[in-house]
């Protein structure tokens, strides 16, 4: 994820088309004007910011990930792809419930469109990845093949598993069944697609209530490596014997910052503000991790575009690489495999205040180890809340 502090949400949501029409020079001028008039701030309009691993939901045609009414051509493509998914399910003797799960999944992952791009090497209706065993890109880009893999997985060794490999899938909730196949870091998002999926099925003439003609089967327990959001087996608490090991717990370190660390809010007030935002705040923090930490300490903006750059720009004496004993109020940083990285506020007792980790766009107080177990990110270290370019 591009963990920026500054690109304005206003430009992202309403100016995308204008920037394309203006070209590179015009876009630069537009961004300069936005900066001049103060739109580029952490408090008013946030950037695209922090991590993107495992998040379902691909960019929809025309830019943006939010829901929008489909145009005629888009709807026709969705109905055609839904019909293909249904045909594959019928060939496999699967009930209409399996089709509904597949439609919900594809709507969340790709808007039910056969995309040739996505997060990392993800492509196709279900955003399946060649690097994780779903097939070649050319295969995945064939809707019939992609649907077959979603339903049946890899028949050679069972990895990755398909829907029918999941033990008890017919009695699982729809979203849980989708998650068991997709192994997403955001398992709750699939359920939101049930109503749109039923609408498309109705337009396509798909019977979602029909019974199947094959035994339900399923040999893979739903929690066995399916990425349900619980910590991975190799990320369990290893206690104090291996304090630097990924997944081992974080403990409170000695408080106190260097004298040059001065912020509008005190450490105690920043932690209190972060906790209040988790309990009562809005959903304005989607991909805006660095902006969140800056605002927690009373700044309008951090002065740095990317979370990982904020850490690397810290004076060497302030960077505590891999140290898992941050003081409450410290900023903790991760390499997510994307340009931006991720940053969160350590609130003590092994917990952080982080955006997007459990609820996209919102702040939650979670164990700091969840950034590793959910997003498979690499912990870089912690630093004091130092914003020399903040304002």
């Amino acid at each position: 994820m591009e963990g920026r502090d500054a690109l304005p949400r206003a430009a992202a949501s309403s100016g995308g088309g204008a920037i394309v029409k203006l070209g590179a020079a015009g876009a630069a001028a537009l961004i300069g004007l936005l900066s001049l008039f103060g739109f580029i701030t952490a408090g008013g309009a946030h950037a695209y910011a922090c991590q993107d691993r495992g998040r379902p939901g691909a960019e929809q045609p025309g830019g943006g990930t939010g829901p929008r009414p489909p145009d005629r051509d888009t709807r026709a493509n969705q109905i055609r792809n839904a019909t293909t998914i249904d045909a594959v399910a019928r060939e496999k003797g699967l009930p209409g419930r399996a089709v509904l799960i597949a439609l919900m999944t594809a709507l969340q992952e790709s808007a039910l469109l056969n995309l040739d791009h996505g997060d990392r090497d993800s492509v196709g209706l279900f955003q399946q990845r060649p690097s994780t065993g779903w097939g070649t890109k050319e295969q995945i880009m064939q809707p019939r093949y992609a649907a077959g893999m979603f339903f049946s997985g890899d028949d050679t060794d069972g990895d990755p598993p398909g829907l029918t490999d999941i033990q008890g899938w017919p009695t699982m909730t729809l979203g849980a069944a989708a998650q068991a196949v997709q192994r997403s870091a955001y398992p709750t998002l699939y359920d939101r697609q049930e109503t749109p999926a039923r609408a498309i099925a109705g337009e396509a003439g798909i019977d979602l209530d029909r019974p199947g003609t094959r035994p339900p089967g399923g040999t893979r327990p739903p929690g066995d490596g399916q990425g349900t959001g619980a910590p991975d087996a190799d990320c369990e608490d290893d206690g104090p014997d291996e304090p630097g090991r990924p997944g081992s717990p974080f403990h409170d370190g000695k408080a106190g910052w260097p004298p040059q660390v001065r912020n509008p809010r005190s450490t105690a007030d920043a932690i209190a503000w972060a906790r209040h935002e988790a309990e009562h705040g809005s959903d304005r923090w989607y991909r805006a991790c660095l902006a969140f930490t800056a605002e927690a300490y009373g700044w309008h903006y951090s002065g740095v575009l990317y979370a990982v750059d904020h850490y690397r720009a810290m004076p060497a004496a302030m960077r505590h690489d891999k140290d898992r004993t941050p003081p409450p109020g410290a900023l903790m940083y991760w390499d997510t495999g994307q340009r931006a990285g991720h940053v969160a506020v350590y609130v003590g007792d092994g917990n952080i205040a982080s955006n997007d980790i459990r609820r996209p766009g919102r702040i939650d107080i979670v164990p700091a180890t969840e950034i590793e177990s959910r997003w498979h990110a690499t912990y870089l270290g912690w630093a004091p809340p130092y914003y020399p370019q903040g304002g």
Side-chain angles (χ1 to χ4, degrees), residues 247-258:
S248 62
F250 291 88
H251 301 283
D252 293 0
K254 184 182 297 185
W257 311 127

Side-chain angles (χ1 to χ4, degrees), residues 1-388:
M1 179 178 288
E2 301 181 4
R4 293 177 245 184
D5 171 57
L7 284 184
R9 180 176 288 175
S13 62
S14 63
I19 288 176
V20 171
K21 293 176 184 177
L22 283 171
L30 177 59
I31 291 174
L33 286 172
L34 291 170
S35 300
L36 179 64
F37 286 98
F39 287 112
I40 297 183
T41 67
H46 300 296
Y48 305 119
C50 335
Q51 73 82 40
D52 205 24
R53 290 192 172 185
R55 173 171 169 74
E59 182 179 351
Q60 296 189 19
T65 56
R68 66 163 61 95
D71 58 34
R72 187 179 305 172
D73 290 340
T74 297
R75 195 59 159 188
N77 284 334
Q78 290 176 322
I79 291 174
R80 181 169 59 251
N81 291 329
T83 302
T84 298
I85 290 171
D86 182 52
V88 173
R90 286 180 178 274
E91 291 169 5
K92 293 179 175 293
L94 296 174
R97 183 179 180 83
V99 179
L100 178 56
I101 294 167
L103 293 179
M104 290 167 58
T105 304
L107 277 168
Q108 179 59 45
E109 295 286 0
S110 69
L112 194 51
L113 299 172
N114 195 29
L115 302 180
D116 63 357
H117 61 279
D119 175 41
R120 291 172 285 183
D121 58 337
S122 301
V123 293
L125 293 174
F126 301 95
Q127 290 291 281
Q128 294 157 334
R129 299 180 60 196
S131 62
T132 56
W134 290 100
T136 66
K137 179 178 180 179
E138 291 73 21
Q139 288 174 319
I140 297 170
M141 287 298 298
Q142 300 172 32
R144 286 186 61 85
Y145 173 89
M149 287 295 288
F150 178 83
F151 289 129
S152 300
D154 188 341
D155 290 333
T156 57
D157 61 5
D159 189 28
L163 180 65
T164 56
D165 294 316
I166 307 302
Q167 182 179 335
W169 72 265
T171 58
M172 297 169 67
T173 63
L174 298 169
Q179 165 65 6
V181 179
Q182 298 298 105
R183 317 184 213 187
S184 163
Y186 290 86
T188 61
L189 296 185
Y190 298 109
D191 280 317
R192 301 181 185 181
Q193 301 296 346
E194 181 178 358
T195 297
R198 289 186 180 277
I200 289 175
E203 294 179 45
I206 297 172
D207 181 8
L208 297 178
D209 297 319
R210 72 165 191 268
T213 59
R214 58 173 283 179
T219 58
R220 184 76 66 92
D224 184 11
Q226 302 307 308
T228 57
D232 296 338
D234 61 351
C235 290
E236 292 297 323
D237 184 339
D238 292 290
D241 294 334
E242 295 184 83
R245 185 181 188 277
S248 62
F250 291 88
H251 301 283
D252 293 0
K254 184 182 297 185
W257 311 127
Q260 62 266 49
V261 177
R262 298 186 180 93
N263 296 303
R265 281 199 184 104
S266 68
T267 299
D269 287 344
I271 292 174
W273 184 91
R275 289 187 178 277
H276 184 272
E277 191 68 18
E279 294 176 5
H280 307 291
S282 69
D283 61 354
R284 63 192 177 101
W285 301 111
Y286 178 57
R287 303 174 81 175
C289 54
L290 185 56
F292 165 72
T293 68
E295 192 161 331
Y297 275 95
W299 299 103
H300 293 294
Y301 54 88
S302 72
V304 179
L305 286 179
Y306 298 106
V308 70
D309 290 346
H310 192 245
Y311 182 65
R312 291 168 180 162
M314 288 278 179
M318 292 189 188
R319 294 195 306 268
H320 299 265
D321 295 342
K322 303 296 183 182
D323 186 277
R324 299 176 85 89
T325 57
L331 305 182
M332 298 176 64
Y333 299 83
W334 287 265
D335 178 355
T336 62
Q338 304 295 319
R339 170 64 179 89
H342 185 67
V343 61
V345 177
Y346 184 68
V347 297
D349 297 323
N351 296 315
I352 55 172
S354 174
N355 62 308
D356 297 340
I357 183 66
R358 292 187 179 175
R359 299 176 297 169
R362 294 187 180 274
I363 304 301
D364 284 295
I365 306 299
V366 300
T369 51
E370 285 200 15
I371 305 297
E372 294 168 317
S373 62
R374 282 178 179 257
W375 293 349
H376 305 290
T378 302
Y379 175 58
L380 296 177
W382 67 267
Y386 185 44
Y387 299 94

